């Protein structure tokens, strides 16, 4: 089971804070550092000192880390044109020496679009499908040849399809709860399917749908990596768990029901239940980025039991 650190910087984090967490992620033996792609805080927080851009952040981290994988859960398809996104991701992949992964979603948070003047189209899923076709198509085009796409939402003619990523194939992550279109899209484009913030039972059902969609598409379902994203709150005793829950404005009971919370033994046991569904990777949503002791505890007391 791979454990990856997943952050929500729109809630309030500078680049320096993210760098500190990414370096701790690397030093403590986690597999990867991922971040969300949002420009507006959610809930009651003020989001100070303000948002950071996902791909600018990852470009910086690409030069200041050496081992960990880096990526997004999920880049909002509404934020970037697909041709520009393909260039950005390929460049950051080069900067990292081939450690980038692209999570790409349709975009959903209308308020952040209004706040920063970003168009929020009514039809987002169809755009996402074209974006995936374009981004992966640009990367797959042989050097010296050109790429064309004439779709409903995007039109590319004679693109040189450059630059190329350092990796032969940048892993593409698709995720979500949709019962029909999402599994079909994952079966066609994804290297990894991620089920965000879902119960063990809902995870099992959705993984089954994705596996069925892969078979229908003529693809071996085992080619995909299956993963979860879950909030994490671990403590060496009940008092520490309660303190960490209070620091992120959550209740212990709710965190235990909907995430990975409690003692290391409790969390290892629950991760095991997700593993039984076929999940092989957990994105640990860390909401208090100042608590590096939390990361160390997870690494030494949870990760050590899963490796």
């Amino acid at each position: 089971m791979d454990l990856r650190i997943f952050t929500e910087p729109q809630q309030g984090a500078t680049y320096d804070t993210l760098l500190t967490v990414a370096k701790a992620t690397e030093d403590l033996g986690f597999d990867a550092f991922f971040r969300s792609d949002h420009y507006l805080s959610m809930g009651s927080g003020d989001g100070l000192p303000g948002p950071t851009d996902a791909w600018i952040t990852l470009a910086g981290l690409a030069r200041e880390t050496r081992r960990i994988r880096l990526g997004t859960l999920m880049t909002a398809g509404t934020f970037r044109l697909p041709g520009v996104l393909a260039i950005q991701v390929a460049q950051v992949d080069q900067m990292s020496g081939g450690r980038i992964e692209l999570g790409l979603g349709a975009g959903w948070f209308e308020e952040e679009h209004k706040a920063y003047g970003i168009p929020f189209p009514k039809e987002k899923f169809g755009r996402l499908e074209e974006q995936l076709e374009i981004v992966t198509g640009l990367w797959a085009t042989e050097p010296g040849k050109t790429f064309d796409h004439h779709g409903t939402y995007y039109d590319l003619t004679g693109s040189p399809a450059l630059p190329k990523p350092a990796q032969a194939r940048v892993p593409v992550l698709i995720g979500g709860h949709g019962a029909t279109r999402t599994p079909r899209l994952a079966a066609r484009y994804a290297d990894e399917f991620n089920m965000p913030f879902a119960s063990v039972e809902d995870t099992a059902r959705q993984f089954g749908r994705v596996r069925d969609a892969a078979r229908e598409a003529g693809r071996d379902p085992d080619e995909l990596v299956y993963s979860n994203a879950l909030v994490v709150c671990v403590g060496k005793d009940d008092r520490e768990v309660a303190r960490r829950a209070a620091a992120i404005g959550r209740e212990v009971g709710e965190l235990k029901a909907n995430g990975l919370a409690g003692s290391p033994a409790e969390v290892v046991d629950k991760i095991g239940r997700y593993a039984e569904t076929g999940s092989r990777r957990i994105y640990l949503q860390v909401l208090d980025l100042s608590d590096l002791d939390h990361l160390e505890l997870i690494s030494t007391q949870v990760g050590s039991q899963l490796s």
Side-chain angles (χ1 to χ4, degrees), residues 274-291:
Y274 281 98
E276 290 173 358
T277 70
S279 185
R280 293 294 174 263
R281 183 171 289 160
I282 303 289
Y283 293 83
L284 302 170
Q285 186 195 43
V286 177
L287 296 177
D288 184 355
L289 299 183
S290 67
D291 188 0

Side-chain angles (χ1 to χ4, degrees), residues 116-195:
Y116 286 96
I118 303 168
F120 190 70
K122 181 177 180 180
E123 174 50 59
K124 293 179 286 296
F125 201 91
R127 290 174 182 271
L128 173 62
E129 187 164 7
E130 281 195 36
Q131 288 167 331
L132 286 161
E133 182 177 349
I134 291 165
V135 170
T136 57
L138 287 167
W139 290 339
T141 300
E142 295 180 12
K145 295 186 177 181
T146 58
F147 175 83
D148 294 316
H149 174 88
H150 306 293
T152 302
Y153 305 104
Y154 303 102
D155 199 293
L156 288 75
T157 301
S159 173
L162 297 171
K164 301 300 184 190
Q167 298 175 88
R169 178 180 175 88
V170 172
V172 172
L173 290 71
I174 295 173
H177 297 252
T180 305
R181 297 175 75 182
T182 296
R184 286 205 300 261
L185 205 60
R188 182 175 179 186
Y189 292 106
D191 298 281
E192 177 178 337
F193 180 79
N194 181 263
M195 188 62 168

Side-chain angles (χ1 to χ4, degrees), residues 18-286:
L18 296 173
L19 174 60
T20 298
V21 175
K23 286 188 171 180
T25 297
E26 186 159 79
D27 292 342
L28 291 168
F30 293 101
D31 181 60
F33 175 93
F34 271 58
R35 61 156 292 162
S36 61
D37 188 15
H38 287 293
Y39 292 135
L40 196 67
S41 63
M42 302 170 194
S44 59
D46 56 23
L48 293 175
T52 51
D53 182 82
W55 286 100
I56 292 176
T57 297
L58 294 175
L61 297 180
R63 306 302 292 176
E64 300 196 70
T65 57
R66 292 291 176 266
R67 178 188 59 81
I68 51 173
R69 307 288 295 178
L70 301 165
T72 51
L73 279 183
M74 300 282 186
T75 286
T78 49
F79 288 177
R80 297 168 178 86
L81 296 172
V84 174
L85 180 62
I87 292 170
Q88 291 172 320
V89 177
Q91 182 179 4
V92 179
D93 193 53
Q94 291 174 1
M95 294 167 69
S96 73
R99 294 183 285 123
I100 292 297
E101 304 185 10
L102 171 64
L104 185 59
W108 62 270
F109 189 20
E110 186 173 4
E111 290 306 309
E112 67 187 339
H113 295 73
K114 292 179 179 178
Y116 286 96
I118 303 168
F120 190 70
K122 181 177 180 180
E123 174 50 59
K124 293 179 286 296
F125 201 91
R127 290 174 182 271
L128 173 62
E129 187 164 7
E130 281 195 36
Q131 288 167 331
L132 286 161
E133 182 177 349
I134 291 165
V135 170
T136 57
L138 287 167
W139 290 339
T141 300
E142 295 180 12
K145 295 186 177 181
T146 58
F147 175 83
D148 294 316
H149 174 88
H150 306 293
T152 302
Y153 305 104
Y154 303 102
D155 199 293
L156 288 75
T157 301
S159 173
L162 297 171
K164 301 300 184 190
Q167 298 175 88
R169 178 180 175 88
V170 172
V172 172
L173 290 71
I174 295 173
H177 297 252
T180 305
R181 297 175 75 182
T182 296
R184 286 205 300 261
L185 205 60
R188 182 175 179 186
Y189 292 106
D191 298 281
E192 177 178 337
F193 180 79
N194 181 263
M195 188 62 168
F197 311 112
S199 68
V200 172
E201 295 74 19
D202 287 345
T203 293
R205 279 191 288 271
Q206 187 70 333
F207 285 176
R209 295 184 187 114
V210 174
R211 297 181 74 88
D212 288 344
R215 281 187 284 266
E216 291 171 8
R219 184 178 180 188
D220 182 353
D222 291 333
E223 289 181 5
L224 282 84
V225 173
Y226 299 87
S227 65
N228 289 90
L230 294 159
V231 63
V232 66
C233 180
V234 187
K236 61 181 181 292
D237 53 35
D238 290 345
R239 178 179 294 182
E240 190 167 83
V241 174
R243 175 176 63 79
R244 289 197 164 114
I248 60 174
R250 305 279 284 270
E251 297 293 331
V252 172
E254 178 267 322
L255 287 168
K256 286 188 176 185
N258 299 313
L260 299 173
S263 68
E266 288 179 285
V267 170
V268 168
D269 179 70
K270 192 163 186 182
I271 289 175
R273 292 171 58 197
Y274 281 98
E276 290 173 358
T277 70
S279 185
R280 293 294 174 263
R281 183 171 289 160
I282 303 289
Y283 293 83
L284 302 170
Q285 186 195 43
V286 177

